[in-house]
Amino acid sequence: MSILFTMTGVVFALFIAYIVSFDRKHIDFKKTLIMLVIQVLLILFMMNTSIGLNILTALGKFFEGLMNISKAGIDFVFGDLENKDGFTFFMHVLLPLVFISVLIGILNYFKILPFIIKYVGLVINKITRMGRLESYFAISTSMLGQPEVFLTIKDLIPKLSKAKLYTITTSAMSAVSMAMLGSYMQMIEPKYVVTAVMLNIFSALIIASVINPYEANDADVEIENLTETPTKRQSRTPFFQMIGDSAIDGFKIAITVAIMLLAFISLMEGINVIFSAVGLNFKQLIGYIFAPIAFIIGVPWSEAVQAGSIMATKLITNEFVAMLDFKDMAKDLSDRTVGIISVYLVSFANFGTVGIIVGAIKGISGEQGNKVAAFALKLLLGATLASIISAAMVGLVL
């Protein structure tokens, strides 16, 4: 049954992608099939072998260790203000982003991260043939996140075709940055967070290959300079200034997420109150809408409405709001449902992120930003379909 539901989930996502494709006649399903096979092998290795499980466990402990280290600074600055006997979301989940952001800044400063991004991207391009820029961006957005990742190719963005713009922005919405992983692991199981990050790299390219087919051509971009922008900027910055800048960047992310949560959670509560006034349950209603999709990707029908409400919450608000709801709900759900929905939640596929991406691109090139705005809804759909493929894939081993 696991194989059947994985197939139905993937076929459903590809069918929707085919329906909304920019150019159905030129879809290269060979590329799509190759990437799907890679995902199957990846999920079987990571979740079904002792080596893979050890890697997931080690990565989980590594990020848990980072979160524990970050508490030293939090305890010193906030002291008794911290709720030591309870769970304060801002303290335990968001503030560690400051320390993790500094670590990423150090890895960038010494050119370790750009080196990894460049050569892993080259390997992925050899396998997928999606293009060197596209493969580079799929990896870099999984490590750097957005909108920061667009700065690494800011000189190239004005030269990109509409097709390339769609592919890289789909990757940006489907991936999550390294800085966010520790925070996510406070709310959902670490092994699912790491698995989702790896699957999403290919899921975004799979969906882009169907919705947005084109012959990969790197002639319009200077491929050799892909990793030069961030390293050049950092080489002119003194080391300790870089640490300070990275810390401030991390704090800005924490504050931004906190503000969004204040707004979205209050908004959701307001909507719930309005619906309750007429005897309806808003979360249950949206759960019914998404329940068939949850069932198609492998969630048992008895839990499909609950899972559907979490899927819809993520789309309407963001992954943090959905994860907080899911954290309370997970104890009453089966392990299969927990795994599938956990992987689904690890991406930036929501309405708010579309605005962030359009704004980031417009800040670099107004004309290119308008192009992205024109296909914004199709971009959101593509990123959501990528999450569906990743979630369906993990069902193979649950």
Side-chain angles (χ1 to χ4, degrees), residues 45-46 48-56:
F45 171 72
M46 295 301 295
N48 228 24
T49 68
S50 57
I51 297 175
L53 289 171
N54 286 337
I55 292 172
L56 290 177

Side-chain angles (χ1 to χ4, degrees), residues 12-31:
F12 168 77
L14 293 180
F15 176 72
I16 299 299
Y18 178 81
I19 293 298
V20 302
S21 177
F22 289 117
D23 186 3
R24 296 175 198 163
K25 292 181 180 180
H26 293 93
I27 297 174
D28 185 351
F29 283 107
K30 184 178 178 181
K31 284 183 184 178

Side-chain angles (χ1 to χ4, degrees), residues 314-330:
K314 179 204 173 190
L315 179 67
I316 296 169
T317 57
N318 59 46
E319 75 281 4
F320 273 106
V321 178
M323 286 178 186
L324 286 170
D325 284 352
F326 183 60
K327 184 181 178 183
D328 295 331
M329 188 188 297

Side-chain angles (χ1 to χ4, degrees), residues 31 42 91 138 185 193 241 275 288 383 390 394:
K31 284 183 184 178
L42 187 61
M91 299 283 192
M185 289 176 186
V193 176
Q241 182 182 333
F275 274 77
Y288 282 121
S390 295
V394 81

Side-chain angles (χ1 to χ4, degrees), residues 120-132 135:
V120 173
L122 287 174
V123 172
I124 288 179
N125 180 51
K126 289 289 184 183
I127 299 171
T128 65
R129 297 182 294 115
M130 286 294 292
R132 287 180 65 184
S135 299

Side-chain angles (χ1 to χ4, degrees), residues 220-235:
D220 58 338
V221 296
E222 299 174 24
I223 297 301
E224 296 305 321
N225 295 328
L226 281 176
T227 59
E228 287 189 5
T229 302
T231 54
K232 278 184 178 178
R233 182 176 65 249
Q234 289 157 357
S235 67

